[in-house]
Amino acid sequence: VELEGTTPGSEHDQLNVTGNVALGGTLDVRLINGFYPVTGNAFTVMTFSASSGGFSTTNLPVILTDQKWSVSNTANAIVLNVVPITDTDSDGLDDDWEMEHFGNLSRDGSADYDGDGHVDFEEYVVGTEPTNALSILLFTALTTTGQTVNASFMSAKNMPYQLQYEDYLIPTSTWLGQTQLYGSGFEMSITNLPLGGATQRYYRLKV
């Protein structure tokens, strides 16, 4: 399912089924063309007379840190809702995320639980595991072959990444986007990026 707006059909995919459906498999959702939803948005991605079963896996794109997805299976539709996070201790971290990773709400995001050089809030933002020092956003390889570049990096599942580049690190320079993709939860590679005659180039990952 691709989302680039709130209008069904023209701005986001919607499957309309006449009759009953048996749900199963994976619900895979992607944001496209730079679209990011806001709190309160709702996307009806499937309609039907009645349903049975359910999706075994739901892959939802990472959105802003003060938002999360809520998937509703109503009597006649599947609806993706963007709702505020629950943050009872007002530390900027979703309570569900804190409970999943730490088992309590005692962390406030300012400390580095796993000692990997990134505080808990930074790991929350980029989708890495705050209790695993090996789960970190970094390039694992950046090589050149002639006038092309190959880049590899560790990714977080469903996190949107854009590989950006700049030839000169000066205050007035603009980082340009070259490739956008979604994380798999494993190491990912982007190959055959053209240098376009540049003799030096700097790369970064934007999430």
Side-chain angles (χ1 to χ4, degrees):
V1 177
E2 294 183 334
L3 310 177
E4 65 171 337
T6 57
T7 305
S10 61
E11 294 183 323
H12 74 77
D13 295 336
Q14 184 181 80
L15 177 62
N16 300 302
V17 179
T18 302
N20 301 338
V21 298
L23 301 175
T26 300
L27 174 61
D28 197 31
V29 180
R30 293 286 183 265
L31 304 176
I32 63 172
N33 296 331
F35 172 70
Y36 275 90
V38 298
T39 300
N41 282 168
F43 308 88
T44 301
V45 296
M46 181 183 292
T47 64
F48 38 74
S49 297
S51 69
S52 60
F55 298 108
S56 58
T57 304
T58 301
N59 292 328
L60 297 168
V62 176
I63 49 181
L64 298 179
T65 56
D66 60 350
Q67 304 170 340
K68 63 182 178 181
W69 292 101
S70 174
V71 181
S72 301
N73 185 351
T74 69
N76 304 109
I78 301 293
V79 183
L80 309 178
N81 301 285
V82 180
V83 300
I85 64 170
T86 301
D87 184 15
T88 57
D89 52 358
S90 301
D91 59 4
L93 301 173
D94 182 15
D95 288 356
D96 291 340
W97 184 86
E98 289 186 77
M99 293 299 297
E100 176 186 354
H101 294 288
F102 303 114
N104 57 63
L105 302 180
S106 64
R107 311 289 295 181
D108 66 2
S110 64
D112 180 6
Y113 183 91
D114 56 9
D116 62 1
H118 297 272
V119 299
D120 299 341
F121 184 77
E122 291 172 335
E123 303 225 42
Y124 172 62
V125 170
V126 302
T128 51
E129 295 290 332
T131 59
N132 180 358
L134 298 179
S135 177
I136 186 171
L137 179 62
L138 52 74
F139 285 108
T140 54
L142 197 61
T143 61
T144 58
T145 303
Q147 278 292 300
T148 62
V149 173
N150 303 310
S152 299
F153 63 97
M154 297 303 299
S155 70
K157 188 174 182 180
N158 299 324
M159 175 65 70
Y161 297 97
Q162 185 181 52
L163 183 66
Q164 297 184 330
Y165 70 91
E166 176 53 59
D167 292 341
Y168 303 99
L169 293 181
I170 56 177
T172 56
S173 63
T174 300
W175 288 85
L176 302 175
Q178 194 155 18
T179 301
Q180 190 160 8
L181 69 165
Y182 280 85
S184 64
F186 304 97
E187 184 178 43
M188 300 184 69
S189 296
I190 306 172
T191 60
N192 298 318
L193 299 168
L195 279 171
T199 57
Q200 65 178 21
R201 180 156 291 178
Y202 301 90
Y203 289 92
R204 71 179 184 183
L205 283 170
K206 180 182 178 181
V207 296

